[in-house]
Amino acid sequence: MSYARAERVSGLIQQALSDILLKGVKDPRLEMATITHVKMTRDLRIARIYFSTPGGTEKIEAAQTGFRSALGFVKASLARRLELRYMPELEFYYD
């Protein structure tokens, strides 16, 4: 039961986050970042967000720094769009 919910919430977060990156985040480090998938913990407390970006190690590190700096904005934007009772912590990983 909760597994299906985690899958649904993962999909919603992936869609909303992709849209936020496309339209809302102005950070040049995140321009080429693509959300590949989102994996929720069973209790929906943590969203592990996997991304890819073209380029080498420098671009990957820049994107990770960009995600860290945009975390507050991204989390607030997701909270407004998803209207979840509890907004999960967001963790970003290079895929």
Side-chain angles (χ1 to χ4, degrees), residues 5 7 9 20 23 28 37 45 54 57 69 80 84-85:
R5 177 155 169 76
E7 288 287 310
V9 172
I20 290 166
K23 298 175 185 163
H37 68 280
R45 297 264 179 205
T57 309
S69 97
R80 276 194 304 277
L84 295 173
R85 188 176 311 148

Side-chain angles (χ1 to χ4, degrees), residues 8-71:
R8 252 191 341 270
V9 172
S10 294
L12 290 172
I13 288 175
Q14 183 171 353
Q15 283 181 324
L17 189 54
S18 294
D19 193 48
I20 290 166
L21 283 178
L22 196 62
K23 298 175 185 163
V25 177
K26 303 291 186 235
D27 193 325
R29 297 171 290 196
L30 300 178
E31 280 178 350
M32 299 300 290
T34 304
I35 305 303
T36 55
H37 68 280
V38 176
K39 186 166 177 152
M40 298 294 298
T41 54
R42 283 188 183 267
D43 62 2
L44 304 178
R45 297 264 179 205
I46 300 171
R48 291 186 179 97
I49 300 161
Y50 296 88
F51 70 93
S52 67
T53 188
T57 309
E58 285 180 25
K59 294 278 189 187
I60 295 165
E61 289 173 6
Q64 287 174 323
T65 302
F67 278 121
R68 274 194 300 275
S69 97
L71 184 62

